[in-house]
Amino acid sequence: MILRNKLMIALAAGALFSSTSCTNLDEELHSSVTDEYFQDPENLVSAVAPVYASLRSYYHHENAWGFSQVSSDETLVPTRGGDWYDGGKWLQLNAHTWNENHPHLKGLWEAPYQGIARANVLLEALEGFEQTEDVVNTANEVRFLRAFYYFNLMDMFGNVPLVLVSQHNGDTPASTRPELTQFIVDELETIKDALPDQPAYGRIGKGAAYALLVKIYLNGGVYFQDGSKVVDPSSDHLDKVISYSKVIDGLGYAVYPDYLETFKLANEENNTDYIFTITYAADDPLGNHGNSWGVHYDTHKVKGIEWKVPSKWNGFSIMTDRYQTFDATDTRINQFYTEFEKEDGSIVQHEQELPLFDANKTQGVRLMKWEPDPGADGVTWGGWSGNDFPLIRYADVLLMHAEALARKGMNGEALAMVNKLRTQGNRFESDSPIADASAHFTQLQNDGKVNSVLDFILMERGWELCWEGVRRQDLIRHGKYLDAWQNKQMENDPDAFEEKIDDNGNTYKYWLPSQGKTSDGSHRYLYPIPPAQVDANPNLNQNDGY
């Protein structure tokens, strides 16, 4: 707790650096900090905090999380009367019709580069001081964070400038996606075993480096290609996924026997499932808005829990099709809710059917994966909840391990790995006939819902990792990101409605989900580079298709 508090205090101070240029920060560090300063571990926490602070932008509906979720088959932001049209920006992500003028591309690009700039400044500063064990360990931590920020840029944009110094002219040519991926891999491979086995909560350790490498190697058929091509990962990469997953197994991580316990505020400090985490506090600007995006304006209680987060935006919902893939005996269905209690005690239902346009205020199943943070009560507009967000969980590693086994033709072992997650985590009711992964796969195969164990593992990832910002990556890797899915278009199907009668006897159209359309090309695997960046850098070209 002490280390967590020190880091959060330092993060608050780190927020002050957000408007400071790299040049000024560099000069301050070199001119006013002595060797003695960096010999004090507490000062190292303060020095590294601004680099961590840039992580907070990831879990944001207008940044990486939103681009990952809303462009997938999992999350929908429908228009509700005059709400949530917002110039069409959500519809564009949903329908895969975005262009280079999407208003949030700027933040998607600048947020990780802010973290990279802070990392470069600090690494240069640390090089100038006595290389004590604490200084070296901190440098490795910062190298990981810089590699992650480049991973995020590479994943979203493909070819971007690789800048490793604090002073530059802004005209660095873009490295190719394979070159960036190789740089990230090389950095992680170099530092992975020098990181601590048991880091302080919220800090980077060996598990995070190995887990990020597992994710990169599993996506090797995407990341080591140009942005328009997806192939199967190589056998060597799959072997890395399997061997590195076993290393993580030996580091003491475990899934919780109750799914929702994973995300409880009380379990954050000693969370056995969280490997790489963004820490938040119920304060402005140290919190997040995650528990505001979907909750209805009139919500007082959900499942008996008082919703004290002050801002309620009534926007985001899970797609009807995705929700209906959850079996009633799957305990992970409890992350959703289909009704809420108003302050007067009356119960309001959330209808499952969710259209793209003209949804009413209650259509769409909502999510309460992270419990409302009572500390957010009375905090300024925006919610600013303190729920931490996992970038990589142990459960994710287990399923990546299973997928690698399946891709190598080891289907029995792959299903056994899924069962390891299901058994340890009590993911199904004990008397469920499909609690066993093999039985569940057979049922879905007989029903024509999956064709292979690999398809089944993709579904399992959707059930386990719903709303955690991985769905876009998963769909791309499995070759399904360009497929048609529910509501993936810019308008409602003209015949997708029912006639209903309201309480006053008036007839109205109750819109239903649309069938959806395929994407218009493989350029959708990447997002366009913000035009301002292309204009400012003569050596940076726009991505193909934009």
Side-chain angles (χ1 to χ4, degrees), residues 157 259 400 408:
F157 295 105
Y259 182 68
M400 289 191 288
K408 289 184 73 72

Side-chain angles (χ1 to χ4, degrees), residues 140-395:
N140 288 334
E141 197 173 358
V142 176
R143 288 175 70 182
F144 173 92
L145 291 169
R146 182 175 64 179
F148 174 75
Y149 293 132
Y150 271 118
F151 168 79
N152 196 19
L153 286 163
M154 178 276 298
D155 179 58
M156 294 290 180
F157 295 105
N159 306 336
V160 304
L162 180 61
V163 180
L164 304 178
V165 294
S166 62
Q167 305 292 319
H168 61 95
N169 296 325
D171 59 355
T172 304
S175 296
T176 67
R177 196 180 213 190
E179 289 170 343
L180 286 164
T181 302
Q182 192 61 56
F183 164 78
I184 297 163
V185 166
D186 290 344
E187 283 286 277
L188 296 175
E189 290 283 7
T190 299
I191 66 175
K192 67 183 191 305
D193 292 315
L195 292 165
D197 288 6
Q198 304 293 332
Y201 179 72
R203 304 290 293 273
I204 299 303
K206 181 183 294 185
Y210 272 92
L212 185 53
L213 282 166
V214 166
K215 190 172 288 285
I216 293 170
Y217 285 132
L218 186 61
N219 287 282
V222 180
Y223 296 151
F224 285 101
Q225 306 295 321
D226 67 41
S228 63
K229 185 183 295 184
V230 175
V231 301
D232 292 334
S234 70
S235 180
D236 287 346
H237 285 164
L238 294 175
D239 289 342
K240 289 277 192 181
V241 172
I242 293 168
S243 63
Y244 284 12
S245 295
K246 291 177 180 178
V247 172
I248 296 167
D249 284 340
L251 293 175
Y253 295 102
V255 296
Y256 280 82
D258 181 325
Y259 182 68
L260 290 183
E261 286 296 311
T262 308
F263 310 99
K264 294 285 188 183
L265 288 158
N267 290 333
E268 288 180 348
E269 296 293 331
N270 299 297
N271 198 298
T272 60
D273 195 6
Y274 284 10
I275 296 177
F276 178 25
T277 312
I278 309 173
T279 58
Y280 292 96
D283 194 7
D284 179 359
L286 299 178
N288 64 68
H289 309 304
N291 275 335
S292 295
W293 299 328
V295 64
H296 189 279
Y297 311 121
D298 294 334
T299 302
H300 177 57
K301 289 184 179 180
V302 173
K303 300 180 180 180
I305 299 174
E306 187 173 351
W307 202 287
K308 290 191 174 182
V309 179
S311 291
K312 302 165 185 176
W313 298 357
N314 198 35
F316 290 54
S317 298
I318 187 168
M319 294 268 201
T320 306
D321 276 357
R322 291 294 308 138
Y323 174 72
Q324 292 178 348
T325 66
F326 284 79
D327 190 84
T329 64
D330 187 336
T331 59
R332 293 169 293 198
I333 202 171
N334 294 325
Q335 65 190 292
F336 306 106
Y337 63 95
T338 58
E339 65 179 27
F340 65 89
E341 181 180 336
K342 298 173 67 174
E343 196 158 7
D344 63 7
S346 60
I347 303 298
V348 177
Q349 299 294 322
H350 281 302
E351 303 95 328
Q352 291 187 27
E353 297 85 1
L354 184 64
L356 183 63
F357 276 99
D358 295 325
N360 67 40
K361 303 295 185 184
T362 57
Q363 279 184 280
V365 174
R366 312 304 166 90
L367 182 135
M368 190 174 69
K369 191 165 192 165
W370 294 270
E371 62 185 337
D373 183 1
D377 189 16
V379 179
T380 58
W381 180 91
W384 298 115
S385 295
N387 308 79
D388 295 345
F389 182 80
L391 288 164
I392 307 179
R393 291 197 286 123
Y394 179 57

Side-chain angles (χ1 to χ4, degrees), residues 367-496:
L367 182 135
M368 190 174 69
K369 191 165 192 165
W370 294 270
E371 62 185 337
D373 183 1
D377 189 16
V379 179
T380 58
W381 180 91
W384 298 115
S385 295
N387 308 79
D388 295 345
F389 182 80
L391 288 164
I392 307 179
R393 291 197 286 123
Y394 179 57
D396 189 356
V397 173
L398 290 175
L399 292 178
M400 289 191 288
H401 190 173
E403 183 175 328
L405 292 168
R407 287 182 179 275
K408 289 184 73 72
M410 304 164 68
N411 288 337
E413 293 90 336
L415 291 171
M417 188 60 62
V418 175
N419 274 335
K420 180 178 180 179
L421 167 64
R422 289 186 170 198
T423 302
Q424 290 184 3
N426 294 317
R427 295 310 195 234
F428 280 77
E429 296 174 6
S430 59
D431 59 351
S432 171
I434 57 171
D436 178 79
S438 296
H440 198 180
F441 165 66
T442 299
Q443 181 198 77
L444 293 173
Q445 188 179 45
N446 291 339
D447 291 343
K449 295 180 179 178
V450 298
N451 295 318
S452 65
V453 170
L454 202 56
D455 286 346
F456 174 72
I457 291 172
L458 177 62
M459 294 193 74
E460 185 77 18
R461 289 183 62 80
W463 299 322
E464 177 69 28
L465 303 170
C466 181
W467 225 253
E468 295 183 39
V470 302
R471 188 65 178 173
R472 170 182 165 271
Q473 290 175 0
D474 287 352
L475 291 173
I476 291 174
R477 183 175 68 254
H478 283 260
K480 298 181 184 297
Y481 187 67
L482 305 180
D483 292 353
W485 59 65
Q486 191 177 71
N487 289 326
K488 189 181 183 182
Q489 56 193 72
M490 286 294 289
E491 67 282 321
N492 283 332
D493 289 335
D495 56 350

